[in-house]
Amino acid sequence: MEVNVLPADTYTVINKTVMKEQDRKLITMLYQPIIGYTATSLYFTLIDDLDKRELMSDDLTHHHLMSTMQLKLDKIITARQKLEGVGLLKSYYKKDHVNNFVYLIYSPMSASDFLNHPILNIVLYNNLGKKEYDKIVDFFKMPRVNLKDYQDITVSFTDVYSSIAGNVYMEHEDLIHEESGKPHLVEKIDFSLLISSIPSQMVSPRCFNQETKELINSLAYVYNIDDLQMQGLVRNHINEKGLVDKAELRKSCRNFYQFENNGKLPTLIYSKQPEYLKAPEGDHSKWAKMVYTFESVTPYDYLRSKYKTGEPSLRDLRLIESLLVDLKMNPGVVNVLIAYVLKINNQKLSKNYIETIAGQWKRLNVETVEEAMRVSEREHKKLKKQFEQKTTVSRVVSRKTREETLPDWFDKNLENEEMTEEEKRELDQILNSISS
């Protein structure tokens, strides 16, 4: 649910966990490469807002956050949503004459849970690269001690302490305790269909508990597996107890993906623009249709739509992957960059050229499709002005020819312009390429 936030709106921070010094390392080493520095800074700023007992904050305004972090409110909202996405924060909202928000803070997952998580593990690897990822794994590895020649002489509690008659056990609720948050995924798999496809005599009543469903859904998301494919994979890994063998299911999903993708492991080229960075719905102008197209397809599908026949070249795919993994650009922004470069560079994705533009967009902190379209238009106008100051008469003709091939959003007011049927067909063809 998207809620409009004003600087005067208040918020209260409630600590749902017990923060340890080790948690700070987990946040900066494991989470920050995924959520970014701003979201990490917001997490620690909210913790600093807590009272002396680190349980609950006073009522504060969002203007306080803006002043403390020296950020605009829209950047803080984006950072908040990134924390929500990975499970570090939950947000609640109450409408009033001054709206009030409640932010629940959670601990990070343990290093073991994080590095074995089917989604976070892969995203971290993609964002860092193998060398840095291996360093982090080595940092959190437990040292191995050979106790083969040692004897366990540890005593038990009852060996040391005895009970005292007359005391009654009392149970206490609502005591502070450590509670870590996990990412929440929209359900990709239709579990009613999945469960009904497997004979009831094959499975235990405990087979599809919440933990198993979360794993299946995560694997489907990571390895891009549909309902029918997942039914076969799950059925093959029901063990003699009628439960899903989770370790074997993980391996089979990975092997399935590699078989379908020539031995490659999944990468972010198959991801779409995050929901929280998409433009609001309801606008039917030509501009909005273009924005929606860039937001709704993966970089792989968008690039594939530009190839009239066959698949994109391995060289082009690696170039796109480097933009997503090494430069950590968002998928929708990469789509705009592909469209821009193909248009002005004679349908060629020149590595040096595209990386120069990508580097500039990263320095400008371009995160949304609309920002990418606007900044490319502004930069084009600057270059055109410089060109006009230096050009000769013969080059003017060349310039005019080149301008005709620029992307549709350049130098035009498209917000109030309806699309032609031909333009609708072209963008619909890109969207339909997902299922082709």
Side-chain angles (χ1 to χ4, degrees):
M1 176 182 174
E2 189 67 32
V3 176
N4 187 38
V5 185
L6 299 174
D9 290 343
T10 62
Y11 71 90
T12 306
V13 183
I14 297 177
N15 192 2
K16 295 291 291 182
T17 187
V18 179
M19 288 293 294
K20 305 185 296 294
E21 186 58 35
Q22 176 73 2
D23 290 340
R24 292 187 176 268
K25 281 191 173 65
L26 293 171
I27 293 290
T28 55
M29 295 180 72
L30 299 179
Y31 285 83
Q32 185 167 296
I34 296 174
I35 63 178
Y37 173 78
T38 303
T40 303
S41 177
L42 175 61
Y43 182 82
F44 291 128
T45 300
L46 293 175
I47 288 175
D48 291 340
D49 284 336
L50 295 169
D51 59 20
K52 291 181 180 179
R53 293 193 302 152
E54 297 189 344
L55 297 178
M56 186 173 177
S57 74
D58 296 328
D59 287 343
L60 301 164
T61 66
H62 284 81
H63 184 268
H64 158 78
L65 274 181
M66 295 168 66
S67 301
T68 302
M69 300 184 69
Q70 288 295 292
L71 287 173
K72 292 181 179 179
L73 189 54
D74 60 337
K75 298 293 183 185
I76 292 173
I77 301 306
T78 298
R80 188 200 80 196
Q81 291 169 336
K82 288 182 178 181
L83 292 175
E84 293 167 355
V86 295
L88 292 174
L89 187 73
K90 283 188 178 180
S91 301
Y92 293 82
Y93 161 76
K94 183 174 73 172
K95 187 176 178 61
D96 209 333
H97 62 282
V98 175
N99 299 326
N100 181 248
F101 293 78
V102 175
Y103 296 140
L104 307 184
I105 293 280
Y106 291 85
S107 286
M109 298 166 65
S110 68
S112 175
D113 288 342
F114 189 102
L115 292 171
N116 285 299
H117 192 277
I119 294 176
L120 296 177
N121 179 30
I122 287 176
V123 176
L124 181 68
Y125 182 93
N126 284 337
N127 285 7
L128 288 177
K130 186 177 187 305
K131 185 176 180 181
E132 290 298 320
Y133 175 84
D134 288 343
K135 283 183 183 178
I136 285 181
V137 172
D138 288 340
F139 179 86
F140 287 107
K141 276 185 178 177
M142 287 284 290
R144 293 188 177 183
V145 180
N146 187 356
L147 298 176
K148 181 181 178 182
D149 297 327
Y150 291 78
Q151 183 180 356
D152 187 352
I153 60 170
T154 309
V155 298
S156 67
F157 181 88
T158 53
D159 290 333
V160 181
Y161 304 99
S162 58
S163 64
I164 301 175
N167 287 340
V168 179
Y169 166 72
M170 292 178 291
E171 186 173 349
H172 300 280
E173 297 181 356
D174 298 328
L175 295 179
I176 57 173
H177 63 281
E178 185 175 0
E179 189 171 346
S180 61
K182 295 182 179 181
H184 172 71
L185 287 178
V186 176
E187 204 163 273
K188 180 178 173 64
I189 293 296
D190 184 341
F191 282 100
S192 60
L193 183 65
L194 172 63
I195 294 171
S196 64
S197 71
I198 301 175
S200 58
Q201 62 269 24
M202 284 183 61
V203 298
S204 159
R206 297 180 292 109
C207 181
F208 294 103
N209 57 27
Q210 189 60 34
E211 181 185 353
T212 302
K213 285 183 177 180
E214 286 179 4
L215 174 66
I216 292 171
N217 199 53
S218 296
L219 291 171
Y221 176 83
V222 171
Y223 295 111
N224 199 26
I225 298 173
D226 62 28
D227 286 316
L228 189 61
Q229 293 162 342
M230 185 58 79
Q231 288 173 26
L233 290 166
V234 170
R235 184 194 292 253
N236 289 339
H237 295 294
I238 303 292
N239 61 24
E240 64 279 1
K241 296 179 180 179
L243 303 174
V244 175
D245 188 324
K246 298 182 178 67
E248 290 302 316
L249 180 62
R250 283 174 182 264
K251 290 179 185 177
S252 287
C253 288
R254 184 172 65 246
N255 291 340
F256 172 84
Y257 183 93
Q258 288 181 291
F259 178 78
E260 293 288 316
N261 293 275
N262 299 318
K264 295 182 294 184
L265 284 172
T267 68
L268 295 180
I269 62 173
Y270 304 102
S271 301
K272 298 178 184 177
Q273 183 78 349
E275 288 296 324
Y276 67 86
L277 291 177
K278 289 184 177 180
E281 296 180 358
D283 187 350
H284 301 291
S285 66
K286 181 178 178 181
W287 171 276
K289 180 71 173 178
M290 294 172 71
V291 170
Y292 175 78
T293 301
F294 288 134
E295 290 176 341
S296 302
V297 298
T298 69
Y300 169 79
D301 285 314
Y302 185 79
L303 186 59
R304 188 179 65 169
S305 73
K306 297 301 178 183
Y307 280 71
K308 301 305 178 185
T309 56
E311 293 288 315
S313 69
L314 185 58
R315 174 192 165 280
D316 284 351
L317 288 177
R318 284 175 177 168
L319 177 57
I320 299 308
E321 183 176 13
S322 72
L323 297 176
L324 292 155
V325 176
D326 299 330
L327 290 180
K328 303 178 181 61
M329 298 182 76
N330 290 319
V333 174
V334 171
N335 288 338
V336 178
L337 185 54
I338 294 170
Y340 175 45
V341 172
L342 287 176
K343 277 285 189 179
I344 66 175
N345 200 39
N346 196 27
Q347 296 300 309
K348 291 185 293 186
L349 289 179
S350 170
K351 186 174 187 293
N352 291 338
Y353 193 61
I354 204 169
E355 286 180 347
T356 299
I357 300 173
Q360 181 202 34
W361 288 11
K362 282 300 294 181
R363 291 189 293 274
L364 293 172
N365 197 30
V366 175
E367 292 190 319
T368 69
V369 166
E370 290 191 277
E371 287 172 347
M373 292 167 68
R374 301 284 189 198
V375 76
S376 59
E377 182 177 9
R378 286 198 305 270
E379 290 304 309
H380 163 67
K381 287 179 178 178
K382 288 181 184 177
L383 292 174
K384 186 173 73 171
K385 188 174 181 179
Q386 294 171 4
F387 187 87
E388 287 172 342
Q389 291 171 349
K390 299 177 182 178
T391 191
T392 62
V393 174
S394 61
R395 288 177 179 171
V396 171
V397 177
S398 175
R399 172 176 60 81
K400 288 181 179 178
T401 303
R402 187 166 179 245
E403 284 180 347
E404 292 174 358
T405 65
L406 288 171
D408 294 336
W409 66 86
F410 276 55
D411 298 320
K412 297 177 183 178
N413 180 17
L414 303 180
E415 280 81 352
N416 300 315
E417 184 178 329
E418 292 293 331
M419 301 189 71
T420 66
E421 289 302 317
E422 183 179 352
E423 288 167 336
K424 286 180 181 178
R425 282 196 298 273
E426 181 183 353
L427 294 184
D428 287 341
Q429 183 180 1
I430 295 172
L431 293 171
N432 291 335
S433 71
I434 298 174
S435 57
S436 62

